[in-house]
């Protein structure tokens, strides 16, 4: 069997609401890159009849790019495990998967898991390959990198272990209290002012912050070359987008393009899901509302529950 050429894949690892959509948009505005958005949600979009529109404004089911994608590669017709393996629902996936934690080690996988990783990698290879082909045909034959903003650490691990991609991981992290505030303010109105619900949500999200960031880091340490991983702090990205993006381009191995930063709103042409900021028109602003709006008891809770590893990420 002829060996397949590896696809250049930029994987944005994050727990969400940490600046990943901003970074993805900058990358997508680069002349050599194209972004899928949170591609592992595509099968759920099909199953549920379209939940969020493509950034072009059309339903994922009606968008000409995603319609053509499905004609070329239907993710629901691929063999198991399919590409949404680690996304049980459109809006949710598990933070802790006890049966998969051993996969993060450097050791060899069992024969049955190795076979699943092989199939999973090939399924995703076909999807990314089709997307690159379509975007090259539609926009530019110079596109050389495809971006996956799915963020999930388990997905990243299996993609890396499949050996089908030249992966660069951009790990986007936000200060824990700032992340906690981003999540607590999303509580439904009936719970927004209940102290116990706010405390519970802060604790839950803080533990998620520690666990998922740890798993992304562990994947990079055990399954990537050191030059293929870069930590990106939201605070740096938002306060110095040009300088930070220049360093990111150096990690990827591409030429820095200042226009990708200034025109980042044009960086998402046909993306799935992501933060609602995709649809806004404002510029890049460092959001630090948490400093005045997050109660001190929630800030302390967040800091205590992330103390185990937040220093690793500069906090």
């Amino acid at each position: 069997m002829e060996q397949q050429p590896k696809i250049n894949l930029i994987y944005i690892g994050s727990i969400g609401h940490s600046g990943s959509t901003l970074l993805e948009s900058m990358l997508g505005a680069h002349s050599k890159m194209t972004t899928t958005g949170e591609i592992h949600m595509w099968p759920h979009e099909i199953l549920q009849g379209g939940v969020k529109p493509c950034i072009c404004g059309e339903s994922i089911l009606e968008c000409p790019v995603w319609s053509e994608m499905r004609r070329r590669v239907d993710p629901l017709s691929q063999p198991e495990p399919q590409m949404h393996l680690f996304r049980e629902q459109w809006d949710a996936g598990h933070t802790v998967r006890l049966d998969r934690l051993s996969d993060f080690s450097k050791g060899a996988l069992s024969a049955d898991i190795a076979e699943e990783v092989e199939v999973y990698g090939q399924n995703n290879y076909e999807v990314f390959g089709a997307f690159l082909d379509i975007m090259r045909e539609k926009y530019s034959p110079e596109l050389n990198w495809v971006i996956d903003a799915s963020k999930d650490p388990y997905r990243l691990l299996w993609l890396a272990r499949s050996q089908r991609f030249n992966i660069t991981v951009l790990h986007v992290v936000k200060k824990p209290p700032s992340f906690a505030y981003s999540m607590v303010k999303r509580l439904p109105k009936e719970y927004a002012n209940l102290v116990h619900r706010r405390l519970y949500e802060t604790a839950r999200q803080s533990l998620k912050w520690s666990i998922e960031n740890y798993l992304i880091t562990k994947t990079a340490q055990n399954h990537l070359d050191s030059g293929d991983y870069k930590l990106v702090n939201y605070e740096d990205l938002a306060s110095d987008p040009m300088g930070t993006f220049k360093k990111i381009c150096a990690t990827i191995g591409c030429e820095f393009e200042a226009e990708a930063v200034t025109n980042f709103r044009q960086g998402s042409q046909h993306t799935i899901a992501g933060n609602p900021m995709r649809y806004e028109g404002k510029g890049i602003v460092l959001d630090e509302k948490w400093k005045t709006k997050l109660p001190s008891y929630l800030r302390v809770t967040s800091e205590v529950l992330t103390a185990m590893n937040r220093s690793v990420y500069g906090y």
Side-chain angles (χ1 to χ4, degrees):
M1 179 178 174
E2 186 177 345
Q3 188 173 11
Q4 297 171 308
K6 290 186 177 183
I7 291 174
N8 295 327
L9 177 64
I10 299 170
Y11 192 92
I12 298 179
S14 176
I15 55 175
H17 296 274
S18 298
S20 57
T21 300
L22 171 60
L23 175 57
E24 181 199 352
S25 298
M26 290 181 187
L27 294 167
H30 193 286
S31 64
K32 299 295 191 297
M33 303 181 197
T34 185
T35 178
T36 64
E38 298 183 40
I39 186 68
H40 66 163
M41 294 166 68
W42 183 29
H44 290 294
E45 286 285 348
I46 297 172
L47 289 168
Q48 297 185 41
V51 179
K52 268 190 177 181
C54 173
I55 193 64
C56 73
E58 297 282 351
S59 162
I60 295 298
L61 303 183
E62 303 296 331
C63 166
V65 165
W66 290 106
S67 296
E68 178 61 22
M69 276 288 293
R70 193 175 181 190
R71 280 191 286 272
R72 297 189 189 191
V73 183
D74 186 340
L76 297 176
S77 296
Q78 292 181 311
E80 298 285 348
Q82 295 177 339
M83 63 183 304
H84 57 311
L85 172 67
F86 299 117
R87 188 76 176 195
E88 287 79 6
Q89 303 173 43
W90 184 93
D91 60 348
H94 294 309
T95 296
V96 178
R97 302 172 187 272
L98 295 178
D99 59 338
R100 296 274 59 84
L101 293 181
S102 62
D103 296 355
F104 287 87
S105 70
K106 291 183 178 181
L109 299 169
S110 63
D112 57 334
I113 297 302
E115 184 177 351
E116 289 190 19
V117 170
E118 179 84 6
V119 174
Y120 185 79
Q122 181 61 30
N123 286 344
N124 280 277
Y125 185 93
E126 292 171 2
V127 169
F128 286 127
F131 189 82
L132 264 174
D133 287 344
I134 291 171
M135 298 303 277
R136 284 168 175 162
E137 294 163 9
K138 187 175 179 64
Y139 294 103
S140 169
E142 301 300 317
L143 295 171
N144 193 36
W145 284 271
V146 62
I147 302 150
D148 181 354
S150 295
K151 299 188 281 289
D152 185 89
Y154 299 93
R155 173 170 171 77
L156 167 61
L157 175 67
W158 275 32
L159 290 176
R161 296 203 73 148
S162 75
Q163 298 293 306
R164 280 176 167 75
F165 308 95
N166 295 318
I167 297 184
T168 299
V169 174
L170 302 176
H171 186 180
V172 188
V173 182
K174 177 185 274 189
K175 187 172 292 188
S178 179
F179 170 70
Y181 171 70
S182 297
M183 304 308 293
V184 169
K185 71 179 183 179
R186 298 173 67 242
L187 282 170
K189 289 183 178 180
E190 60 268 30
Y191 302 129
N193 295 316
L194 298 179
V195 172
H196 71 283
R197 285 306 300 261
R198 288 161 65 84
L199 187 59
Y200 168 78
E201 187 65 11
T202 298
R204 188 173 75 90
Q205 296 296 341
S206 296
L207 289 172
K208 177 183 173 74
W209 189 100
S210 288
I211 293 168
E212 293 200 6
N213 283 320
Y214 170 79
L215 293 177
I216 294 169
T217 301
K218 186 57 65 175
T219 299
Q221 290 173 342
N222 289 346
H223 303 288
L224 297 174
D225 292 334
S226 59
D228 295 331
Y229 168 89
K230 182 168 181 58
L231 175 65
V232 181
N233 294 96
Y234 160 75
E235 294 79 13
D236 293 337
L237 182 65
S239 60
D240 181 19
M242 284 288 182
T244 304
F245 192 68
K246 185 175 292 187
K247 294 175 183 176
I248 289 168
C249 288
T251 297
I252 294 169
C254 63
E255 184 178 350
F256 169 68
E257 294 180 359
E259 296 80 6
V261 178
T262 55
N263 299 329
F264 76 98
R265 291 288 176 192
Q266 300 173 22
S268 298
Q269 295 163 316
H270 294 281
T271 50
I272 289 177
N275 192 293
M277 71 154 285
R278 291 192 194 281
Y279 307 100
E280 298 172 357
K282 62 184 181 182
I284 300 172
V285 179
L286 176 63
D287 184 358
E288 293 190 313
K289 295 186 184 73
W290 66 274
K291 289 185 175 180
T292 57
K293 294 190 175 182
L294 185 69
S296 59
Y297 74 96
L298 296 183
R299 177 173 181 167
V300 170
T301 299
S302 175
E303 290 175 341
V304 168
L305 292 177
T306 58
M308 65 187 82
N309 64 343
R310 58 184 161 85
S311 64
V312 173
Y313 306 106
Y315 304 121

